[in-house]
Amino acid sequence: MAAKSFDLIVIGAGPGGYVAAIRAAQLGMKVAIVEREHLGGICLNWGCIPTKAMLRSSEVFHLMHRAKEFGLKADGIGYDLDAVVKRSRKVAGQLSGGIGHLMKKNKVTVFMGEATIPAKGKVSVKTDKGSEELTAKNIVLATGARARELPGLEADGKLVWTYKHALQPAHMPKKLLVIGSGAIGIEFASFYNTLGADTTVVEVMDRVLPVEDAEISAFAKKSFEKQGMKIMQKAMVKKLDRKGDTVTAHIEVGGKVETMDFDTVISAVGIVGNVEGLGLEGLGVKIDRTHVITDEYCRTGVDGLYAIGDIAGAPWLAHKASHEGVMVADLIAGKHAHPVKPESIAGCTYCHPQVASVGYTEAKAKELGYEIKVGRFPFIGNGKAIALGEENGLIKTIFDAKTGELLGAHMIGAEVTELIQGYVVGRQLETTEEDLMNTVFPHPTLSEMMHESVLDAYDRVIHM
């Protein structure tokens, strides 16, 4: 059977992959996309979207318990975990189905199956119906990543879960251990803690949410502990003993090992890239700790072969992958492509309270040699935040004292995952403190705090 020829083959239909396929099709290319499991990848099916749907349920549940504060009555408050999960899966399914529609609309040929690259410009796809041989001058790897599992801490789906198990829980945890306090770990800790689980978070680094600014991390820790979570920092789970319905965790902290019993453990200790079985070694692709090495334009060093998204390394964010997908498609088409700048990509964590940031932390800016000005503004000083009953939060901005460049912005509080985009646009446009000061922010809004934080950096804050 003759091989089917395309201008571009994309392997993996997560956010980076399907966006690359759509953009390439818009540019007139004949495009094929290969996906082994679900259109939309981990993000739409097992990551970004279903977790946010579940977190929304826990947020509403939390607000129902605060009804009296708002002059409302809500009696017999409870939840149906199966119904919460069912809604989450329905949302994920709706969006995954939408990707299929977009593929048809843009005339992208979809192959469901396992892909390998036997030689440069060739892709072999093993499907339920047999094998398909494809050829293309350009191939984009967008195979994503999966949960990292440490020896002795492997998931079994019953007592020890990964994010997939946590999204379809076999039971409601009563006493929960979350290993790792990055975005994934903290979001699940927040969800289950809000629904009543006695939650302990163990973090090997010296603070929770370790990639965030230290001041924001400290604020978050205090907020989580106020909600009843137990936070163990500079701690490591050395071993898990499983017996019956109980897991005994051996946790090393301060040079001593203590044991604690739990009925459920969620392991959230990072991810590994899906690089196996593709034939990359034979092509001469360089791989470092399960991630493909690329240049700023996502080129692998093998002519016509690109790698985008999680497989290409940090930051492991869907919006980074999508931008890379557009960039690579434009590059292949001969358009002017804009490389991704990691320091200009916002990170968002949808715990309670939410956390969002872009650019350098205060410590990183100092490490890079900048003379800085730092501004802060608390939610308690904002009228909209008080009216919403969301006074717990902080916005922090960091500027280059010499040029006024916005070096970084860090937030914790209600809806900061939406607010952060204002600073992202500002950094993209190379906005200075003067531009931000002269911008009129609408009242009453949470966004006014963004203005006040800038003003505070230059000793001009009004409402504090």
Side-chain angles (χ1 to χ4, degrees), residues 207-222:
R207 63 179 192 271
V208 293
L209 296 168
V211 302
E212 301 295 341
D213 185 88
E215 192 171 349
I216 299 299
S217 292
F219 195 112
K221 179 176 182 281
K222 188 178 293 186

Side-chain angles (χ1 to χ4, degrees), residues 8-189:
L8 172 67
I9 299 170
V10 180
I11 303 176
Y18 78 73
V19 168
I22 290 171
R23 178 57 181 155
Q26 289 175 343
L27 293 167
M29 294 184 221
K30 184 182 179 184
V31 184
I33 192 165
V34 183
E35 171 56 45
R36 68 180 180 183
E37 193 172 6
H38 303 290
L39 293 178
I42 292 295
C43 178
L44 266 64
N45 294 282
W46 297 105
C48 317
I49 300 302
T51 55
K52 304 315 163 279
M54 289 177 71
L55 284 160
R56 176 60 171 166
S57 292
S58 67
E59 179 184 20
V60 173
F61 183 66
H62 170 72
L63 287 171
M64 288 168 70
H65 279 87
R66 296 178 58 196
K68 190 175 180 180
E69 293 178 38
F70 298 91
L72 306 173
K73 294 182 179 179
D75 299 320
I77 299 168
Y79 63 85
D80 179 341
L81 185 59
D82 289 341
V84 170
V85 172
K86 186 177 180 180
R87 176 180 181 272
S88 170
R89 301 315 308 157
K90 182 180 178 182
V91 170
Q94 178 181 340
L95 288 169
S96 181
I99 302 304
H101 168 73
L102 289 172
M103 295 299 100
K104 290 179 182 178
K105 177 184 174 184
N106 289 279
K107 296 181 174 59
V108 174
T109 303
V110 177
F111 294 92
M112 297 302 296
E114 293 271 357
T116 57
I117 309 174
K120 181 180 168 183
K122 295 183 179 181
V123 174
S124 181
V125 185
K126 186 178 179 181
T127 72
D128 292 339
K129 299 177 181 178
S131 293
E132 295 274 4
E133 301 303 320
L134 318 176
T135 64
K137 185 178 179 181
N138 295 288
I139 298 171
V140 173
L141 299 170
T143 53
R146 62 187 184 278
R148 181 187 300 278
E149 295 200 71
L150 299 179
L153 309 183
E154 295 91 349
D156 54 37
K158 295 179 181 179
L159 298 175
V160 183
W161 299 349
T162 64
Y163 61 86
K164 278 194 174 184
H165 304 119
L167 282 167
Q168 295 188 112
H171 60 268
M172 174 62 196
K174 293 179 181 177
K175 193 170 183 186
L176 172 67
L177 169 64
V178 177
I179 307 174
S181 73
I184 295 172
I186 282 296
E187 286 184 359
F188 280 121

Side-chain angles (χ1 to χ4, degrees), residues 70-396:
F70 298 91
L72 306 173
K73 294 182 179 179
D75 299 320
I77 299 168
Y79 63 85
D80 179 341
L81 185 59
D82 289 341
V84 170
V85 172
K86 186 177 180 180
R87 176 180 181 272
S88 170
R89 301 315 308 157
K90 182 180 178 182
V91 170
Q94 178 181 340
L95 288 169
S96 181
I99 302 304
H101 168 73
L102 289 172
M103 295 299 100
K104 290 179 182 178
K105 177 184 174 184
N106 289 279
K107 296 181 174 59
V108 174
T109 303
V110 177
F111 294 92
M112 297 302 296
E114 293 271 357
T116 57
I117 309 174
K120 181 180 168 183
K122 295 183 179 181
V123 174
S124 181
V125 185
K126 186 178 179 181
T127 72
D128 292 339
K129 299 177 181 178
S131 293
E132 295 274 4
E133 301 303 320
L134 318 176
T135 64
K137 185 178 179 181
N138 295 288
I139 298 171
V140 173
L141 299 170
T143 53
R146 62 187 184 278
R148 181 187 300 278
E149 295 200 71
L150 299 179
L153 309 183
E154 295 91 349
D156 54 37
K158 295 179 181 179
L159 298 175
V160 183
W161 299 349
T162 64
Y163 61 86
K164 278 194 174 184
H165 304 119
L167 282 167
Q168 295 188 112
H171 60 268
M172 174 62 196
K174 293 179 181 177
K175 193 170 183 186
L176 172 67
L177 169 64
V178 177
I179 307 174
S181 73
I184 295 172
I186 282 296
E187 286 184 359
F188 280 121
S190 189
F191 171 78
Y192 284 108
N193 187 72
T194 299
L195 294 189
D198 179 359
T199 305
T200 298
V201 178
V202 172
E203 171 55 53
V204 69
M205 304 297 285
D206 62 355
R207 63 179 192 271
V208 293
L209 296 168
V211 302
E212 301 295 341
D213 185 88
E215 192 171 349
I216 299 299
S217 292
F219 195 112
K221 179 176 182 281
K222 188 178 293 186
S223 297
F224 298 150
E225 289 178 333
K226 191 174 181 181
Q227 294 166 28
M229 286 190 209
K230 182 177 181 181
I231 306 293
M232 301 177 70
Q233 299 172 153
K234 291 197 284 188
M236 181 182 295
V237 178
K238 305 293 287 186
K239 187 171 67 166
L240 295 175
D241 293 331
R242 313 171 203 212
K243 187 176 181 181
D245 296 329
T246 303
V247 180
T248 300
H250 298 252
I251 305 171
E252 183 180 296
V253 57
K256 297 180 180 179
V257 176
E258 59 180 275
T259 59
M260 299 174 67
D261 291 337
F262 302 90
D263 62 76
T264 311
V265 177
I266 296 176
S267 178
V269 291
I271 62 173
V272 292
N274 294 321
V275 295
E276 305 91 346
L278 292 166
L280 301 184
E281 296 83 358
L283 295 169
V285 174
K286 294 180 180 178
I287 298 171
D288 179 30
R289 288 170 291 181
T290 78
H291 296 288
V292 175
I293 297 175
T294 67
D295 66 7
E296 62 178 340
Y297 289 99
C298 296
R299 295 176 293 211
T300 64
V302 176
D303 188 40
L305 184 63
Y306 303 81
I308 65 174
D310 289 354
I311 194 178
W316 298 291
L317 300 167
H319 42 288
K320 173 250 195 186
S322 295
H323 188 89
E324 288 176 336
V326 171
M327 177 192 70
V328 166
D330 284 351
L331 192 66
I332 292 170
K335 303 284 185 181
H336 180 61
H338 297 273
V340 174
K341 297 178 181 178
E343 67 275 10
S344 292
I345 299 173
C348 298
T349 305
Y350 299 81
C351 48
H352 179 72
Q354 293 180 7
V355 176
S357 60
V358 66
Y360 302 129
T361 63
E362 182 176 352
K364 186 63 176 180
K366 289 177 179 176
E367 180 188 319
L368 292 171
Y370 287 101
E371 181 185 341
I372 62 173
K373 285 184 175 292
V374 179
R376 301 172 180 84
F377 196 82
F379 273 49
I380 192 65
N382 177 262
K384 179 68 179 292
I386 295 171
L388 289 175
E390 299 288 357
E391 302 96 333
N392 186 42
L394 174 71
I395 292 182
K396 176 178 180 178

